Amino acid sequence: MPAVRITLIGGPTALIELDGFRLLTDPTFDPPGDYPLPHVTLTKLSAPALSADELGPIDAVLLSHDQHADNLDHSGEALLGNAGRVLTTKAGAGRLGGHVEGLAPWDMVELSKPGSRPLHVTATPAAMGRPASNPCRAT
């Protein structure tokens, strides 16, 4: 069984190191501040434990959804271009463009790199909160 190391960076952002792979979840690296959305203002209260510059190389970003700044802020979006791969929803890939890959629920992709066994990532269906509370569904 390969060793797993998880470093919590802040909020939904974590660096997962597994069998030679470096995966980053929902990148948020902006300083504290307000993020107004049409239906609510999100307020970030604390800075990330690490800056994006301190991370080193990232094999893949696992982005649950791009619609909210508490899952993908400005600095996080800038980091996407430096990641080997970016995996998110099909709708998110359409909005973000570039090398972002969209997955439907239960789609599986294989990550590979020299010196490591392949790593399989499976997209799982998810919904945020109660349906009436969230006009931006994670689709």
Side-chain angles (χ1 to χ4, degrees):
M1 183 67 115
V4 177
R5 180 177 174 189
I6 300 173
T7 304
L8 178 62
I9 295 171
T13 309
L15 177 63
I16 302 168
E17 296 172 280
L18 170 65
D19 202 21
F21 288 94
R22 302 183 83 239
L23 311 172
L24 185 69
T25 63
D26 293 333
T28 56
F29 292 96
D30 285 352
D34 289 339
Y35 296 86
L37 297 172
H39 60 289
V40 68
T41 295
L42 303 173
T43 301
K44 183 174 186 174
L45 300 175
S46 59
L50 296 172
S51 72
D53 293 336
E54 294 174 294
L55 285 179
I58 300 297
D59 296 304
V61 170
L62 309 177
L63 178 59
S64 64
H65 66 291
D66 66 300
Q67 296 101 315
H68 301 134
D70 57 344
N71 290 87
L72 180 66
D73 61 16
H74 304 297
S75 299
E77 189 168 350
L79 173 137
L80 298 182
N82 297 327
R85 292 176 79 176
V86 179
L87 308 174
T88 191
T89 64
K90 288 203 173 272
R95 284 186 292 271
L96 294 169
H99 75 293
V100 177
E101 300 172 52
L103 304 176
W106 307 118
D107 280 354
M108 184 189 314
V109 297
E110 181 177 285
L111 303 178
S112 61
K113 64 187 288 185
S116 294
R117 295 179 300 192
L119 178 66
H120 296 98
V121 176
T122 303
T124 58
M128 293 178 37
R130 297 180 310 274
S133 70
N134 187 11
C136 280
R137 304 297 290 168
T139 57

